[in-house]
Amino acid sequence: MSKIYDCIILGGGPAGLAAGLYAGRSRLDTLIIEKAQDGGQIAITDEIENYPGQIVEGESGKSLVARMAEQVKKFGAERCSDVVKSVDFSGQIKKITCAKGEYEAKTVIIATGAHPKAIGCENEGKFVGTGISFCATCDAAFFEDFEVYVVGGGDSAVEEAMYLTKFARKVTIIHRRNELRAAKSIQEKAFKNPKLDFMWDSVVTKVDGDEILQKMWVKNVKTGEETLIECDPDDGLFGLFGFIGYVPNSELFEGQVEMDRGYIPTDADMHTNVPGVFAAGDIRVKSLRQVVTACADGAIAAMQAEKYIADME
Ligand code: NAP
């Protein structure tokens, strides 16, 4: 462990890659540590149509990310595949301990993201991206005039269900209790929406279909009765959106930076409460978690890291 990087970026999703691009262009000696494939959540997104300028027919999240990673490489940021085990942000030089080794840097950008809570039904993994989605802003347009189901009863589920009614023929909220958790003002709007229906006291137990989502079993938790819901044969599929909360990938940073329910608060320049440590993307406390906002965060964090190092010297 001899080398001290200018900047270590944790996570190779859009926020981390954008940070890597800007840090590399600023000639910072930069290392991106990613435990799996680049791209984070968008690597499993079938189609991206809301990233500005992204109008390539059939563009998938994976291909968009591959181009981002190529661009990062061009500007000189190193990338390594390793699993971060612990971090120590207490000194001026930050220490990152990974499965394969230890790394040190003057600055760290945390871009480890968040993941949506799974619906928790049988076969769920097989249909993510082919009927099951966790992002209405990303995928609503693919269900234009289809039937859509939404799992959850909080603000996100009800607001996203209302958003989905602008696209889908009919939207049904499946909620495990007989009253919504969402704010009353949101509920009032929802109950007035003629395209919105509710299945109370219900949970999705299993999904199935021929490559795409075509049927699901919904169980009434009070009576135990199970109902099979099948797609309209003319449609050939339906949509199922899960909004039962997000899980920030932040366990590693407990006790190292300030957190708010697992998310990391920053100022508008991505500073955390620890000097030299920045956060970018979905891990931050923020209102819109999208590729475009993650990239913007990453760019700002990298420029602030450069400024921090210049002020150190
Ligand atoms: P949330 O408030 O935690 O609601 C999660 C919902 O999912 C609850 O209705 C919960 O049911 C249900 N749920 C949880 N686990 C489940 C499971 N395993 N199976 C089935 N259902 C399950 O999450 P959120 O809606 O994502 O909101 C997160 C935070 O952001 C909240 O503080 C919210 O107020 C805020 N937010 C605010 C706005 C706004 O102000 N416009 C918009 C979006 C989010 P129970 O009700 O039975 O627990």
Side-chain angles (χ1 to χ4, degrees), residues 117-120 151-160 174-183 185-186 202-204 243-246 261 263 287 289:
K117 262 198 215 167
I119 292 166
V151 178
D155 289 345
S156 298
V158 181
E159 283 196 332
E160 299 300 315
I174 301 172
H175 183 37
R176 65 181 176 184
R177 293 187 295 130
N178 64 0
E179 61 176 353
L180 297 172
R181 176 181 294 279
S185 57
I186 297 175
S202 299
V203 293
V204 178
F243 297 110
I244 60 173
Y246 269 82
R261 283 167 288 182
Y263 291 95
S287 62
R289 294 191 167 88

Side-chain angles (χ1 to χ4, degrees), residues 67-220:
R67 290 208 309 275
M68 284 185 185
E70 193 56 41
Q71 203 178 4
V72 172
K73 207 165 145 192
K74 189 175 135 195
F75 286 109
E78 275 179 54
R79 184 206 181 280
C80 86
S81 294
D82 209 341
V83 180
V84 180
K85 296 289 184 193
S86 65
V87 298
D88 180 357
F89 296 155
S90 58
Q92 199 175 38
I93 298 301
K94 319 299 175 200
K95 294 188 173 71
I96 313 287
T97 304
C98 294
K100 296 182 196 162
E102 284 192 10
Y103 306 89
E104 291 188 328
K106 295 174 193 164
T107 64
V108 171
I109 298 175
I110 302 171
T112 48
H115 60 275
K117 262 198 215 167
I119 292 166
C121 61
E122 198 179 329
N123 288 341
E124 181 169 356
K126 284 190 199 165
F127 295 97
V128 174
T130 53
I132 296 183
S133 169
F134 298 93
C135 176
T137 318
C138 316
D139 295 333
F142 304 127
F143 294 97
E144 184 96 49
D145 224 20
F146 284 81
E147 284 199 45
V148 160
Y149 295 82
V150 167
V151 178
D155 289 345
S156 298
V158 181
E159 283 196 332
E160 299 300 315
M162 284 195 284
Y163 175 74
L164 283 161
T165 61
K166 294 181 189 168
F167 300 83
R169 185 165 74 231
K170 184 183 165 200
V171 178
T172 305
I173 290 182
I174 301 172
H175 183 37
R176 65 181 176 184
R177 293 187 295 130
N178 64 0
E179 61 176 353
L180 297 172
R181 176 181 294 279
K184 288 284 177 283
S185 57
I186 297 175
Q187 292 193 29
E188 281 163 18
K189 282 190 210 148
F191 291 135
K192 279 187 204 150
N193 188 321
K195 283 172 90 179
L196 205 51
D197 208 350
F198 296 86
M199 283 181 85
W200 302 110
D201 300 313
S202 299
V203 293
V204 178
T205 53
K206 184 177 171 184
V207 288
D208 215 341
D210 189 10
E211 309 271 315
I212 49 176
L213 182 63
Q214 293 170 318
K215 40 181 142 170
M216 70 176 164
W217 286 261
V218 178
K219 183 179 171 184
N220 184 302

